[in-house]
Amino acid sequence: MGAILRVARRHWMWVVLVVVIATVGFTVARLQGMFGSDNRITARSVESLDNTTYNPKRVTFEVFGAPGATATINFLDEQAQPQRVDNAVLPWSRELTTNDPTMFADLRAHGGGSIGCRITVDGVVKDERSVDAESGYIACLDKAA
């Protein structure tokens, strides 16, 4: 018994450390179980999210101005990737078709003189703007296209 007490006096910090680590580990494991953090959440595959019954949406971008004038045009395509058309002859238009229920339609143009833009979704004008300036800049936007 005397030998055990001598060892315990010498190494008491290690014994306390092991007891503390074991207690903390047990407590954390119990708390995770109580609050459900050990539940696994699964997501559906991309293929199951495809909406095959949705009618395609047709989004038309238009930039207009004096016939034969040119403009630099920036827009977001179907995948929301920026596209740029330099020295586009006006009037200019681009039709995008998508099966996605929503599309962020963003159209911007810069040209000399009078310039305008229009966003049409399935034949309905969603945004139309024009400006008459020496160095015209115009932007049309539809967040719910």
Side-chain angles (χ1 to χ4, degrees), residues 26 28 47 57 59 81 99-100 114 120-122 127 129 133:
F26 178 75
V28 168
E47 291 80 20
K57 184 182 295 191
V59 179
Q81 297 300 310
N99 285 329
D100 290 337
S114 177
T120 307
V121 178
D122 293 332
D127 193 12
R129 300 172 191 268

Side-chain angles (χ1 to χ4, degrees), residues 56-121:
K57 184 182 295 191
R58 299 190 191 302
V59 179
T60 305
F61 292 138
E62 297 175 78
V63 177
F64 49 88
T70 61
T72 300
I73 300 170
N74 295 286
F75 64 96
L76 295 178
D77 66 10
E78 298 94 333
Q79 288 79 35
Q81 297 300 310
Q83 303 295 323
R84 180 179 172 140
V85 180
D86 290 317
N87 298 319
V89 178
L90 302 182
W92 173 91
S93 69
R94 175 75 48 97
E95 184 176 292
L96 307 175
T97 304
T98 181
N99 285 329
D100 290 337
T102 60
M103 179 180 153
F104 189 79
D106 184 15
L107 172 64
R108 296 163 190 276
H110 179 259
S114 177
I115 191 167
C117 64
R118 181 181 305 122
I119 297 176
T120 307
V121 178

